[in-house]
Amino acid sequence: MSHQFSRRRFLYTLSLGAAGTALLPACLRAGSATDASSYLVYVGSYGPAEQDNIWLYRLNPSTGALTRVAGARGGAAPSFLTVDARHRRLYAVNEVDNYQSTPNGGVSAFAIDATTGGLTLLNQQASGGTIPCYISLDKAGQHAFVANYGNGTVAALPLTVEGQLQPATSVDQHTGKGPHKNQGNARAHCILPDPAGKFFFAVDLGTDTVYGYTLENGGRLVRRAAPAFQAKPGAGPRILTFHPTRPLAFLINELDSTLTSLAYDARQGTLREIQTVPCLPAGFTGWNACADVHVSPNGRFVVGSNRGHDSLVVFALDEASGRLTLTEHVQLPGKTPRSFAFDPSGRVVLVAHQQSNTIVTYLADARTGRLTPTGTSVEVAAPVCLQVYPDFLTGKG
């Protein structure tokens, strides 16, 4: 996007900085992977590379309160991150276009200290393209997958048994463009496995396409002959997410501010449109770009974020038909909600305001889907990714 909120206007000038300063632990309460009295929140950001720019918070799901645990230096623009299933490793993209003087972004692997949540750099690799903006792992934890927005590639990077990143074994170049001014070339924005881990899907904002892949021997991404889904020209699909229990998926479209409900055929690896709904209230005429989308853990609601209108839009989901009905627009207290997340219980929604440098929380009504502000607001430099996990730390303050 070319609006003043564009992250990429300044990211193209960055180069990958050093990473690896260990997280400095604060006073910690004992917790376990099944302890529902608290959750851990890792935050990726566009904060300066010479300062802590990956953060760890503890979330109280009863009140929505956030307590800072630690911070780490994640290099330049560690914007999107993920944690492996055993909570031993954290992986982050470094959203730049000049990694070690090559036309690539970077990917960083960190070891997580099980006592403190501390991060120690394991290694880094080139991302297989420029301006990486999304990273995910396969179910076996053997590969990392990266979407590179700058030049429209997706890449697979094998992981060692110690969790280190190996060089990309597969890079696939998307081609084409769309009718919108921000669709002059392919713009890969998301790549993730389906719930069974059988198929992989890459969302390309520049070509209005969701591409399907399989992962073959040797870590090779093989694109399927036909696209998994073709969005409306100019829609600008950005992020795909799956329903927790139903054969449904949801696609947030950045450029035309819509949300598409999709039926998912897990045997064929195909997506079929059920419904596309607007994410903005009727009558709004200002600039807007949708950003993030999530399904509530109970499967009853789908929520998207609006940058420009600066709101969350909440839809009730008919799980039998996959159709969406507007519940409410929640006007946010900050600017540019690039990322938001539910906690695993579904009781709290956290929202990261990129332009306002804050994270706020809401309590979610499990029956109606409506959100109530908790009054919690913490300051974080340019937060752009929120990942919430069970409190797996064993340390005591």
Side-chain angles (χ1 to χ4, degrees), residues 193-236:
D194 73 355
K198 180 180 179 181
F199 298 105
F200 298 81
F201 296 94
V203 180
D204 196 294
L205 183 149
T207 65
D208 295 314
T209 305
V210 180
Y211 299 98
Y213 291 86
T214 55
L215 187 67
E216 304 299 333
N217 292 337
R220 187 168 61 98
L221 279 171
V222 177
R223 194 196 305 182
R224 308 190 76 199
F229 179 71
Q230 194 69 52
K232 176 184 175 182

Side-chain angles (χ1 to χ4, degrees), residues 22-384:
L23 284 168
L24 303 177
C27 183
L28 301 178
R29 185 194 56 76
S32 70
T34 57
D35 184 1
S37 65
S38 65
Y39 296 103
L40 296 176
V41 184
Y42 278 102
V43 183
S45 80
Y46 289 144
E50 64 273 14
Q51 301 175 11
D52 290 345
N53 54 11
I54 297 176
W55 297 100
L56 176 62
Y57 283 82
R58 177 168 279 113
L59 169 69
N60 182 326
S62 297
T63 66
L66 288 166
T67 303
R68 183 177 292 181
V69 175
R73 295 185 183 183
S79 62
F80 198 92
L81 50 83
T82 191
V83 171
D84 74 331
R86 294 190 292 172
H87 308 127
R88 296 176 58 191
R89 309 285 184 255
L90 181 144
Y91 299 91
V93 299
N94 294 100
E95 195 171 328
V96 300
D97 67 348
N98 184 18
Y99 171 77
Q100 297 184 352
S101 300
T102 69
N104 285 282
V107 190
S108 298
F110 299 88
I112 300 175
D113 187 293
T115 301
T116 67
L119 298 183
T120 301
L121 181 68
L122 293 173
N123 76 323
Q124 295 172 310
Q125 294 287 352
S127 68
T130 58
I131 317 297
C133 62
Y134 196 99
I135 186 167
S136 61
L137 305 177
D138 62 5
K139 287 177 70 70
Q142 297 178 343
H143 295 85
F145 304 92
V146 180
N148 294 291
Y149 179 90
N151 66 336
T153 61
V154 293
L157 289 78
L159 304 176
T160 69
V161 293
E162 294 82 17
Q164 292 183 323
L165 292 154
Q166 299 183 70
T169 51
S170 180
V171 177
D172 187 51
Q173 175 70 64
H174 299 168
T175 58
K177 60 182 181 179
H180 191 278
K181 63 182 180 179
N182 293 339
Q183 295 179 308
N185 60 277
R187 298 289 195 189
H189 212 303
C190 170
I191 183 168
L192 77 167
D194 73 355
K198 180 180 179 181
F199 298 105
F200 298 81
F201 296 94
V203 180
D204 196 294
L205 183 149
T207 65
D208 295 314
T209 305
V210 180
Y211 299 98
Y213 291 86
T214 55
L215 187 67
E216 304 299 333
N217 292 337
R220 187 168 61 98
L221 279 171
V222 177
R223 194 196 305 182
R224 308 190 76 199
F229 179 71
Q230 194 69 52
K232 176 184 175 182
R238 177 182 172 95
I239 300 290
L240 179 74
T241 191
F242 287 90
H243 191 277
T245 59
R246 301 279 186 168
L248 298 169
F250 303 91
L251 184 66
I252 194 85
N253 299 304
E254 176 178 319
L255 299 180
D256 71 356
S257 297
T258 62
L259 175 65
T260 300
S261 175
L262 300 158
Y264 180 51
D265 186 328
R267 291 177 296 178
Q268 300 297 321
T270 56
L271 298 159
R272 175 181 57 81
E273 181 177 359
I274 298 171
Q275 179 190 25
T276 295
V277 293
C279 291
L280 292 168
F284 179 79
T285 58
W287 176 87
N288 190 73
C290 288
D292 204 0
V293 60
H294 293 283
V295 183
S296 61
N298 66 7
R300 297 179 58 187
F301 303 96
V302 182
V303 183
S305 66
N306 288 304
R307 297 170 295 174
H309 188 252
D310 292 330
S311 65
L312 296 183
V313 56
V314 181
F315 295 98
L317 172 66
D318 183 319
E319 294 180 71
S321 68
R323 297 188 66 82
L324 301 166
T325 303
L326 177 66
T327 295
E328 66 173 344
H329 287 91
V330 180
Q331 203 66 48
L332 298 169
K335 295 181 179 180
T336 317
R338 166 74 180 279
S339 175
F340 72 95
F342 282 91
D343 77 9
S345 74
R347 287 178 288 188
V348 178
V349 173
L350 306 91
V351 184
H353 296 126
Q354 178 185 341
Q355 292 287 316
S356 299
N357 304 310
T358 58
I359 300 171
V360 300
T361 62
Y362 290 80
L363 296 180
D365 188 304
R367 183 179 60 85
T368 66
R370 292 184 176 274
L371 305 180
T372 302
T374 67
T376 291
S377 179
V378 297
E379 294 187 6
V380 178
V384 291

